[in-house]
Amino acid sequence: SLCWNFNEAFYLPTNFFELIYTDQKLLVPQNKQLFAAVQNILCSEKTIKVAWNMKLEAKNLMKIGIYLKGKILDPQIGAWLLDPRDASS
């Protein structure tokens, strides 16, 4: 899901990408216009990206050609810094 206003969020359905089987498995966006918009936002130096377990999310985005730029935050790291003994963080 994506949020760019305080009270407004959007969800990309799991079928946003179609898996194409060729010599290599390729993920191809079904809606190229929507993909371009998402890519522009996530690759912008001006936007702040926040995600729990951001390292995994960034790896998954790289598989589809989206390379995060700008400020990137992971609340999971913040939770661990506040209480390293808490196994959930």
Side-chain angles (χ1 to χ4, degrees), residues 30-88:
Q30 290 184 345
N31 184 327
K32 292 185 193 281
Q33 218 173 5
L34 180 58
F35 175 79
V38 169
Q39 187 176 32
N40 287 339
I41 292 165
L42 293 177
C43 295
S44 171
E45 296 274 348
K46 296 178 182 178
T47 58
I48 299 171
K49 279 65 80 181
V50 180
W52 189 267
N53 197 7
M54 179 60 90
K55 185 177 177 181
L56 175 65
E57 299 304 333
K59 283 182 181 179
N60 288 332
L61 289 168
M62 282 189 259
K63 291 178 186 176
I64 58 172
I66 295 177
Y67 298 88
L68 300 176
K69 295 180 184 170
K71 190 178 265 189
I72 300 169
L73 305 172
D74 187 338
Q76 185 177 18
I77 294 171
W80 178 82
L81 289 170
L82 291 172
D83 188 0
R85 295 169 288 158
D86 183 3
S88 67

